[in-house]
Amino acid sequence: MQAIRYSPEVRDAWNKMVQQCCNGTFLLDRRFMDYHEDRFQDASLLFMEKGKLKGLLPANIKGDIIQSHGGLTYGGLLHTANTSSEEVEKMLDAALDYYRNIVLAKTLEYRPSPYIYHTYPAEQSLYFLFRRGMTQTACMLSSTIDLHQPLPLSQLRKRCRKKAIQYGVTLHKACQEGQWKLFWKILSQVLLKRHGKQPVHSLTEILYLHNLFPDNIQLIYAENNGDMIAGTVLFITPCTIHAQYIAANEEGKSTGALDLIFTEIIHSSTNTPSSPKYLDFGISTEDKGNLLNYGLVFQKEGFGARGICYNHYQLQL
């Protein structure tokens, strides 16, 4: 098993392999990964055995640390459903040898995708890295709905949804750049007021990514009397709809607009057998999981969401 450093010349082969991997999503496509390539020094690997591409490891290097991946929600070893446990072990050992002896890195930070993003079970890498001394460094709690068998809505969420309908709130999918601009204004104001932060993606970046992946990145928004009052940006993968951004202005909050948005997403997905299995609201924690926002969890659980974990690990090389 050979570990080969990624270069732009193998971009097409990388992207084709991501589509074949049971734990690969469009976030690991080079077109998505490279939108912020100026901020991360790439250290990704491809694994070849007997002339055949067996797997991928999206990664970047920061000082003497290898991160998989520092600029993405998750990374980890990517492989197909047919990949054996022995092949996973060989790929990991090839990666560790490369980073230790060629890159001279001292630490691997490993952020695998949660199982809800896998089209087939794919957690063998966690077992083999555990055997090599990997330790857990973070555990972030996210709230997720099984759309194929969702729990009932809480009475509060039902009342808020009913209020939105009574106010005449309507839902739409963004199809013009101006609609994204309006939502980004609402989102930026909410994040600045609550957290003193800006969205991870700038408006220019999210429009660029939406144009590259129009089926995977969508904006669902609510209007009242012709004005946008709330919305959510969805990252859609084969198994999971992830609410990447959620925001409402004061009118959106008072009319229950977000309740109408998410109950409609749940309803439409539940009645479409070919739709993704999960709706993931994202994490409600800070400080690597040591702080939990109980109010935020309460709101998400009102839709029937329950916990899954985004785990981070570290291995000394």
Side-chain angles (χ1 to χ4, degrees):
M1 187 73 69
Q2 291 181 303
I4 301 171
R5 188 76 169 259
Y6 172 81
S7 65
E9 290 75 20
V10 295
R11 181 180 183 179
D12 291 343
W14 176 287
N15 290 341
K16 184 178 179 181
M17 185 64 183
V18 168
Q19 295 177 359
Q20 298 172 3
C21 290
C22 59
N23 55 346
T25 71
F26 75 95
L27 275 72
L28 289 317
D29 186 296
R30 296 307 307 199
R31 293 174 295 166
F32 190 100
M33 288 180 63
D34 293 345
Y35 86 89
H36 52 19
E37 60 183 340
D38 58 316
R39 284 175 258 169
F40 296 91
Q41 182 182 351
D42 194 83
S44 301
L45 297 177
L46 299 86
F47 301 97
M48 302 290 298
E49 186 178 48
K50 298 179 180 179
K52 185 176 180 180
L53 182 56
K54 289 289 188 175
L56 310 168
L57 183 63
N60 66 283
I61 184 168
K62 183 178 180 181
D64 59 4
I65 300 173
I66 298 294
Q67 299 175 316
S68 182
H69 188 289
L72 301 171
T73 308
Y74 46 76
L77 181 67
L78 308 180
H79 55 79
T80 70
N82 293 322
T83 303
S84 68
S85 295
E86 183 180 5
E87 289 172 318
V88 168
E89 184 175 27
K90 288 181 179 179
M91 285 188 276
L92 288 172
D93 282 342
L96 298 181
D97 286 343
Y98 184 92
Y99 289 138
R100 183 186 295 116
N101 299 318
I102 305 300
V103 181
L104 303 181
K106 295 184 178 180
T107 305
L108 170 67
E109 292 182 353
Y110 196 72
R111 305 175 183 179
S113 57
Y115 74 90
I116 59 173
Y117 293 96
H118 301 174
T119 58
Y120 206 79
E123 294 190 334
Q124 301 99 303
S125 66
L126 298 182
Y127 168 72
F128 290 113
L129 289 173
F130 160 75
R131 282 187 38 190
R132 282 149 182 79
M134 181 176 71
T135 58
Q136 186 169 345
T137 57
C139 180
M140 284 78 72
L141 183 66
S142 187
S143 301
T144 303
I145 296 173
D146 184 338
L147 294 170
H148 291 182
Q149 47 183 357
L151 295 175
L153 298 174
S154 70
Q155 291 302 313
L156 177 59
R157 300 276 70 86
K158 287 180 179 179
R159 289 198 301 269
C160 290
R161 176 183 182 274
K162 184 177 180 180
K163 183 195 297 186
I165 294 173
Q166 291 173 339
Y167 273 97
V169 175
T170 57
L171 303 184
H172 310 270
K173 183 167 75 172
C175 56
Q176 297 177 0
E177 186 174 306
Q179 293 155 346
W180 285 86
K181 290 181 178 179
L182 287 172
F183 176 70
W184 230 247
K185 183 177 180 181
I186 294 173
L187 175 65
S188 299
Q189 290 172 345
V190 169
L191 289 177
L192 186 62
K193 182 178 180 180
R194 289 187 179 178
H195 308 288
K197 297 179 180 180
Q198 290 294 321
V200 173
H201 302 91
S202 68
L203 175 62
T204 300
E205 289 172 341
I206 199 67
L207 285 172
Y208 170 76
L209 293 171
H210 167 64
N211 289 330
L212 284 176
F213 303 96
D215 295 330
N216 301 104
I217 301 176
Q218 298 180 7
L219 166 61
I220 307 298
Y221 66 93
E223 276 188 353
N224 195 22
N225 297 320
D227 296 324
M228 184 183 295
I229 58 175
T232 180
V233 175
L234 304 176
F235 280 14
I236 303 171
T237 68
C239 294
T240 300
I241 302 170
H242 174 66
Q244 178 71 17
Y245 294 109
I246 305 170
N249 62 20
E250 291 305 319
E251 184 179 358
K253 295 175 187 175
S254 64
T255 58
L258 286 173
D259 294 270
L260 184 61
I261 288 175
F262 284 111
T263 53
E264 180 58 31
I265 292 171
I266 295 167
H267 176 77
S268 60
S269 299
T270 301
N271 289 283
T272 308
S274 61
S275 67
K277 179 175 172 60
Y278 300 105
L279 169 61
D280 184 28
F281 282 101
I283 65 172
S284 303
T285 55
E286 299 177 31
D287 187 27
K288 298 182 179 181
N290 288 296
L291 297 176
L292 176 63
N293 186 329
Y294 286 93
L296 191 55
V297 168
F298 173 80
Q299 182 183 25
K300 296 171 181 178
E301 291 185 346
F303 291 102
R306 294 297 184 267
I308 64 113
C309 292
Y310 284 71
N311 295 320
H312 292 181
Y313 303 92
Q314 189 176 88
L315 177 68
Q316 299 303 320
L317 299 178

